[in-house]
């Protein structure tokens, strides 16, 4: 069953999955195919390495970042369903001005390429997207259309470019995964109704151990301890590409942790186009997403580039991390001075 067939069959079952939303998902799949093609020949097409500039976060922009951003923006501009875009690669939101602006229903937030620096070493990378119904009336969209709580998302998903390319998304009625069949150029349903099992994988950059707050340090130590009885220690698996780590845990069970650190007291991952969409997906798959103290989807946004700590995955493992944090609260981490809050 292709993505197009799946959307056509399920559109009637999801009241808010309008024709416009269906076309928007299709547009994302088209751009993903183009990006996938370039990734597969990146070393031959001079698509590796830095582009020679920095983004709003001060990070080196990779050539692939620029290409993917341009492709997704081009697809959204060509359609009539999107009124405004917020991208990791752009400082401000991009209102879409076209003849359909007055009736375009959706705001899209996107991280065009997550983990692009890993392309040179052939590690899986991804695209993350989030879709909201616009709040403004008529004309191009506004920043307010993008600054909505995660609970207001009508759809979210990611594309993982790896040994195979998959599109995983939800419109609030479960999570489904589609694998790209290169022989026909179509995404085909391969992972219906995905549910995260309980597991014992933990994904965190343990090299930053000394920079983490005490609760995270104690959780890592706990994971490494021999357990009594027949239980084995937890298994550390950290790829260094959020989409790849998340995808493995979604299938096999586990927790992905990107906590606050002494350098990033409010965390490093972006709430609006990284954490919210992944939190939406994990909850739809029966898991949990937290900043250590609060549900990710209920965080009030104030900036499209704001950051947050993230603990996401199987319910029991997320709650274990929360337990260690709440038992070992570090005030400087939980309530950092506003002067050092970084977007």
């Amino acid at each position: 069953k292709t993505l197009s067939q799946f959307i056509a069959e399920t559109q009637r079952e999801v009241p808010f999955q309008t024709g416009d939303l269906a076309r928007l998902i299709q547009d994302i799949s088209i751009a993903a195919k183009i990006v996938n093609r370039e990734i597969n020949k990146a070393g031959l097409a001079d698509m590796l390495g830095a582009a020679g500039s920095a983004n709003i976060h001060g990070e080196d922009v990779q050539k692939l970042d620029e290409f993917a951003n341009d492709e997704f923006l081009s697809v959204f501009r060509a359609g009539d369903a999107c009124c405004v875009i917020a991208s990791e690669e752009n400082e401000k939101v991009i209102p879409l001005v076209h003849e359909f602006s007055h009736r375009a229903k959706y705001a899209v937030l996107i991280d065009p390429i997550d983990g692009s620096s890993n392309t040179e070493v052939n590690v899986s990378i991804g695209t993350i997207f989030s879709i909201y119904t616009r709040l403004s009336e008529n004309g191009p969209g506004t920043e307010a259309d993008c600054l909505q709580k995660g609970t207001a998302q009508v759809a979210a998903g990611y594309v993982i470019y790896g040994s195979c390319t998959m599109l995983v998304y939800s419109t609030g009625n479960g999570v489904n995964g589609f694998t790209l069949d290169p022989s026909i150029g179509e995404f085909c349903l391969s992972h219906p109704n995905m549910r995260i099992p309980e597991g014992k994988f933990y994904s965190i950059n343990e090299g930053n151990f000394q920079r983490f707050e005490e609760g995270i340090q104690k959780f890592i130590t706990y994971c490494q301890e021999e357990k009594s009885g027949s239980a084995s220690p937890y298994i550390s698996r950290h790829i260094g590409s959020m989409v790849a780590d998340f995808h493995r845990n979604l299938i096999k069970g586990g927790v992905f942790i990107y906590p606050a650190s002494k350098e990033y007291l409010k965390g490093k991952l972006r709430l609006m186009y990284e954490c919210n969409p992944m939190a939406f997906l994990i909850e739809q798959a029966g898991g949990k997403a937290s900043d250590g103290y609060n549900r990710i989807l209920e965080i009030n946004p104030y900036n499209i580039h704001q950051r947050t700590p993230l603990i996401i995955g199987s319910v029991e493992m997320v709650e274990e991390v929360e337990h260690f944090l709440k038992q070992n609260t570090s005030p400087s981490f939980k309530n950092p001075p506003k002067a050092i809050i970084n977007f």
Side-chain angles (χ1 to χ4, degrees), residues 230-243:
S230 59
S232 60
Y234 284 169
I235 300 170
S236 176
R237 291 288 185 272
H238 181 65
I239 298 171
S241 175
M242 178 189 179
V243 171

Side-chain angles (χ1 to χ4, degrees), residues 104-328:
K105 298 178 180 178
Y106 298 105
V108 177
L109 291 89
I110 190 163
D111 183 354
I113 292 292
D114 178 79
S116 56
S117 60
N118 287 316
T119 311
E120 294 188 54
V121 292
N122 210 21
V123 170
S124 296
I125 57 179
T127 296
I128 308 172
F129 63 90
S130 174
I131 302 173
Y132 294 83
T133 301
R134 71 182 297 173
L135 301 175
S136 59
E137 297 180 2
N138 301 320
T142 66
E143 184 176 71
D145 293 320
C146 299
L147 285 177
Q148 301 184 55
K149 279 187 178 182
T151 50
Q153 291 173 103
V154 295
Y158 63 86
V159 182
I160 181 169
Y161 312 98
S163 55
C164 63
T165 296
M166 282 189 66
L167 167 64
V168 179
Y169 85 100
S170 174
T171 55
N173 192 32
V175 179
N176 292 281
F178 301 79
T179 299
L180 181 62
D181 183 343
S183 67
I184 61 173
E186 293 282 356
F187 282 101
C188 299
L189 181 63
S190 55
H191 294 67
N193 193 29
M194 299 177 77
R195 304 290 294 176
I196 184 170
E198 288 301 333
K200 55 183 179 180
F201 293 102
Y202 69 101
S203 310
I204 186 172
N205 183 357
E206 295 180 60
N208 288 326
F209 183 90
Q210 296 301 328
R211 299 176 182 175
F212 296 147
E213 57 186 303
E214 186 180 0
I216 295 296
Q217 292 176 341
K218 288 190 174 182
F219 174 76
I220 293 173
T221 301
Y222 164 77
C223 289
Q224 295 170 341
E225 292 173 348
E226 289 285 344
K227 305 297 187 293
S228 60
S230 59
S232 60
Y234 284 169
I235 300 170
S236 176
R237 291 288 185 272
H238 181 65
I239 298 171
S241 175
M242 178 189 179
V243 171
D245 280 306
F246 178 93
H247 185 71
R248 181 201 53 248
N249 290 348
L250 176 60
I251 291 174
K252 294 192 173 183
V255 63
F256 172 82
I257 309 168
Y258 208 128
S261 65
K262 293 177 182 177
E263 183 179 6
Y264 293 98
L265 288 175
K266 290 296 289 183
K268 190 175 181 183
L269 294 179
R270 267 65 69 167
L271 171 68
M272 300 307 296
Y273 41 79
E274 290 178 323
C275 300
N276 270 344
M278 291 308 210
F280 183 82
L281 285 174
I282 207 69
E283 289 194 5
Q284 285 292 314
K288 185 173 183 178
S290 167
D291 67 357
Y293 305 93
N294 310 287
R295 182 186 177 202
I296 287 290
L297 294 182
E298 293 181 348
I299 295 175
N300 285 310
Y302 53 84
N303 184 288
I304 60 169
H305 298 297
Q306 80 185 69
R307 302 173 188 261
T308 181
L310 178 66
I311 299 115
I312 188 168
S314 304
V315 172
E316 289 185 6
M317 294 195 73
V318 170
E319 291 180 348
E320 281 183 332
V321 181
E322 289 178 322
H323 171 76
F324 278 95
L325 283 169
K326 291 171 183 177
Q327 291 296 313
N328 302 276

